[in-house]
Amino acid sequence: MSHQTDPPTSNERVEAQYEEYLMPIWKNLNVPIKRASGCTVEDFEGNEYLDVFSGISVTNAGHNNEAVVDAAKEQLDEFVHGCTYVHPNQPAAELGEKLAEVTPGDLQKTFFCNSGTEAVEGAIKLARKYTGSKEVLALEMSFHGRTLGSLALTGNKSYKSEMAPTINDVSHVAPPYAYRCQMCDGGPCSCACAEDVEHVIDTHTADDLAAVVVEPVMGEGGIIVPPEGWLSRVKEIAHDHGALLIVDEVQAGYGRTGELWASDHFDVVPDIMPQAKGIANGLPLGAFTASAEVADAFEAGDHLSTFGGNPVACAAALATIEELENGIIDNAREQGAWLHEQLAELEREYDVVGDARGLGLMQGIELVDPQETGRMDVAPAPDPKLAKAVGKQLREDGIVIGVGGFHKNVMRFQPPLTISRDQLERAVEALGAAIEAHREDSGA
C-alpha cells in the first residue's frame, strides 16, 4: 500500500495552511519562521531577517536564548503540569519571590496566568474586590488586550467593532500624547491631560471608582511616552478618589525601556502591576503583582487559572530575569540612547517624519503628510500609506519592523534587547533609505 508523502514545508505551504485552517485574525502576515537566534529569524527558504520587533516586544533576552531554553528543558524533564494553584511547585514559588524582590516599592504577591490580557483582567477583578467599587478609567488610544473585559479598557474603536465589550463601567481620558496634544495649545507641557482624569471622574462616573489603568509607555498607541510628572499626578488623583493605580507593564516591562520596569523612569509605584510578553522570553506566561494588603483581598476561589504559573514557563521566566539583569538591560539603555538620537536625526532630515520618541529600545517615528493638516491643526496628518510602504520595503531588505500606532503610521523599533550597534546601524540606514524611496508616494 502506498503512503502519500506530505510536501516539504515551505513559506508558501505554511501561509496556505494559515489561510485554510487558522482564523483570520491578522491582515498582514510577516515572515514565516523556521528558526531564530539572537536578533535574527530565518524562513523556510533559508532567508535571514534582522528582527527589530521581537514578536511584539517579547523575546527581550534574544531569540532562543541558551540559558532560558536550558532552564525550560531542565524543568520539562521533571514535570510539565500539576496546576500551580492545586500543587505548589518550586519554579512558581521562586518566581513569585523574585518578583517581590525586583518589582517597585512594596509590591509583593503575584498571581500567575497565561497572557497580558488575563493579567489585566485579573488586576481589574482584584481592584474591584479590594476597593468595593466597580468603575474603571483607562486612556484613549490605549491597548490592554482583546478579551471582552480588557477590550472595554482599550481606547481604540478599530479593535472593538462588533465586539460589544461587556464591562460597562469604563470611561476614557485623554492620553499623554504630546505630539498631537490638544490641551496645551502648542505651548510647554502643563500635564493638562493628567488633570483630565479629574474632569472625567467628575463628569462621567458615579463616584464608584475602583481603578485607573494606564500604560507607562503606550505601545500599540504609537510608542507614546508621558511627560514628567504625569504618572505621579494620575496616581494622586486615583488615590484621592479611593481608587487604585494599575500600571500595565505588559509591553514596556522586562527591560524594554532601559529599566526593568518603565514605571522606574517616573519614580512611581503602582498599586497593581500586570506583566507578560517579555516575562519568559516567548513562553506563555502572564502575571499581576500587588502589595500584600491589596493582594490579600482575594479569597480562595475568587480567581484561578488552570495553566497559569506553569512550571516550565516559570523556570524560563527566572532564567530570563537573570539574563536581563546580567547586562542585557544595560545594553538596552546604551543602544536605546544611540537609537533615539539617530531617529531624531531622521526627524530633522525628513519632513515626513513628524516625531521621533521612545525610551530604551522602545522607540518609534511617526510618519506624516506635511501637506495635510491633522485634527485641530495640532500636527500634520498621519500617513499610514507611507508607513505601510516603508515597512514592506524593509521586509524586502531583510528587516522585520513593527508598523502600528493608533493612526497606523508609526514605525516601531522594539528589537531583542541583545541587539548590537552594527545591527541597529543596519536597521536605521535601511529605514532612512526606505523613507527616501517612498516619501514621494505620500505627496511630500
Side-chain angles (χ1 to χ4, degrees), residues 256-432:
R256 173 57 51 191
T257 64
E259 298 288 347
L260 187 57
W261 312 107
S263 308
D264 293 340
H265 289 279
F266 308 105
D267 197 27
V268 170
V269 177
D271 295 307
I272 309 175
M273 195 172 78
Q275 310 135 54
K277 290 194 182 293
I279 187 172
N281 208 49
L283 274 73
L285 183 64
F288 56 97
T289 307
S291 67
E293 178 185 344
V294 172
D296 287 345
F298 267 170
E299 300 173 273
D302 280 344
H303 202 49
L304 195 64
S305 171
T306 298
F307 296 108
N310 173 274
V312 179
C314 287
L318 282 162
T320 297
I321 295 171
E322 184 175 350
E323 289 288 283
L324 293 176
E325 292 181 322
N326 193 28
I328 291 179
I329 294 177
D330 295 335
N331 186 66
R333 189 181 305 116
E334 178 184 348
Q335 303 304 338
W338 180 88
L339 177 61
H340 187 76
E341 288 301 316
Q342 299 305 304
L343 297 182
E345 181 60 33
L346 291 180
E347 179 186 344
R348 290 188 287 269
E349 183 175 356
Y350 294 106
D351 57 0
V352 296
V353 180
D355 193 34
R357 54 185 181 251
L359 289 173
L361 285 173
M362 190 173 186
Q363 300 280 339
I365 59 169
E366 180 162 350
L367 300 183
V368 299
D369 183 348
Q371 309 303 321
E372 296 290 335
T373 303
R375 289 188 302 166
M376 297 180 65
D377 299 330
V378 171
D383 196 338
K385 179 181 176 183
L386 176 59
K388 183 177 181 179
V390 168
K392 181 180 179 182
Q393 180 66 58
L394 287 172
R395 175 175 169 171
E396 292 173 357
D397 293 338
I399 296 171
V400 176
I401 194 170
V403 181
F406 182 82
H407 301 289
K408 312 302 181 189
N409 68 322
V410 176
M411 310 306 299
R412 295 169 56 183
F413 274 86
Q414 294 169 274
L417 307 184
T418 55
I419 196 165
S420 70
R421 180 66 55 84
D422 287 346
Q423 289 172 318
L424 275 180
E425 286 177 351
R426 174 189 166 194
V428 171
E429 288 174 6
L431 176 61

Side-chain angles (χ1 to χ4, degrees), residues 7 13 60 78 137 187 200-201 225 230 257 263 266 274-275 297 311 338 373 411:
R13 181 164 187 251
N60 290 5
E78 297 295 329
L137 294 191
V200 170
I201 291 172
V225 181
W230 176 84
T257 64
S263 308
F266 308 105
Q275 310 135 54
W338 180 88
T373 303
M411 310 306 299

